[in-house]
Amino acid sequence: MNRPQYIERMIEIIKRMPGVGPKMAERLSYHILKMSENEVGSLVDSILKARHIIKSCSICYNLSEHDPCSICTDSARDCSIICVVETPQDLIAISKVKDYKGLYFVLGGVLSPLDAVCPDDIRIDNLIKRLKSDNINEVIIATDTDSKGEMTAVYLAELIKKIGIIDIKVTRIGYGLPVGGDIEYADEVTISRAIAGRREM
Ligand SMILES: [Zn+2]
């Protein structure tokens, strides 16, 4: 017997989400069907509200209810340091580290020739514009420690040197983070050590 088409449709949509395979999509779909109408209503409502209200900060590209976001408008922060991350999730992970008081920039991905992701596909131009206009002394490159993250870090460091922004020190987080590690899932202590142990590129 075939599944009812509406269940099939739910599974198809959920399956497209990152990290969700067909089995997980099936489990989640049947779980949603068992939820009360109120619970389903809250789920749908929270997704729609987030979709409508959350925007990208025009300075750092963090996701926020306000533009500029609360980090960019926080006068207690050190405006001379920018930490470059891949995703808003990475920014959240690093923002839990109390000893980092600088600002951020979300690249929106990393370079990946195999997936046809080139410099124009991520926010490298926007980053360079910001480095040229703001008074930045240091850029901490906090992309993941996998091969794409490393390649992007090297590309950025060389680009920043090449365009002649000589006053900016480019550093790379490192010590303590496992090779191939995802910053989003690293714990606070590990990230804190990785930032403290950053080395100049
Ligand atoms: Zn911001």
Side-chain angles (χ1 to χ4, degrees):
M1 186 193 155
N2 289 334
R3 256 195 289 257
Q5 59 159 323
Y6 286 109
I7 300 182
E8 207 58 66
R9 209 171 125 197
M10 269 172 84
I11 296 173
E12 270 311 307
I13 293 171
I14 295 174
K15 210 165 68 180
R16 287 183 223 143
M17 294 181 179
V20 180
K23 279 272 158 227
M24 175 67 87
E26 194 181 311
R27 265 173 64 198
L28 289 173
S29 300
Y30 280 97
H31 175 77
I32 292 168
L33 287 173
K34 277 195 290 184
M35 286 161 68
S36 72
E37 205 154 333
N38 265 347
E39 284 176 308
V40 174
S42 307
L43 174 67
V44 172
D45 186 54
S46 65
I47 293 172
L48 288 176
K49 283 222 170 73
R51 192 71 190 78
H52 288 141
I53 293 169
I54 303 298
K55 44 189 145 279
S56 208
C57 169
S58 56
I59 299 173
C60 72
Y61 297 93
N62 180 22
L63 293 179
S64 168
E65 289 166 14
H66 307 284
D67 180 24
C69 73
S70 58
I71 295 177
C72 290
T73 51
D74 182 352
S75 58
R77 289 194 164 260
D78 181 352
C79 304
S80 68
I81 306 182
I82 289 191
C83 180
V84 176
V85 293
E86 290 179 28
T87 64
Q89 299 94 298
D90 293 336
L91 187 156
I92 296 293
I94 297 178
S95 71
K96 288 180 182 149
V97 176
K98 304 283 178 288
D99 32 339
Y100 178 69
K101 299 271 184 236
L103 299 174
Y104 294 91
F105 186 88
V106 180
L107 271 182
V110 276
L111 299 176
S112 175
L114 286 177
D115 306 310
V117 181
C118 57
D120 288 344
D121 297 318
I122 56 178
R123 300 187 190 104
I124 290 181
D125 274 355
N126 307 59
L127 172 65
I128 298 300
K129 266 184 214 145
R130 189 167 164 200
L131 296 183
K132 282 178 174 168
S133 65
D134 294 3
N135 226 346
I136 310 289
N137 294 328
E138 183 180 353
V139 177
I140 304 172
I141 303 178
T143 47
D144 286 345
T145 54
D146 58 8
S147 57
K148 294 176 196 170
E150 289 299 340
M151 186 174 61
T152 308
V154 171
Y155 179 88
L156 282 176
E158 284 173 359
L159 183 66
I160 292 168
K161 277 174 203 155
K162 203 162 74 187
I163 56 172
I165 316 178
I166 42 172
D167 298 336
I168 298 181
K169 183 163 88 171
V170 182
T171 56
R172 175 85 172 116
I173 53 153
Y175 176 72
L177 273 181
V179 174
D182 193 330
I183 289 168
E184 182 186 345
Y185 303 114
D187 64 89
E188 232 170 278
V189 176
T190 306
I191 296 177
S192 178
R193 275 193 203 140
I195 292 179
R198 63 189 185 269
R199 58 191 153 76
E200 196 160 351
M201 291 186 78

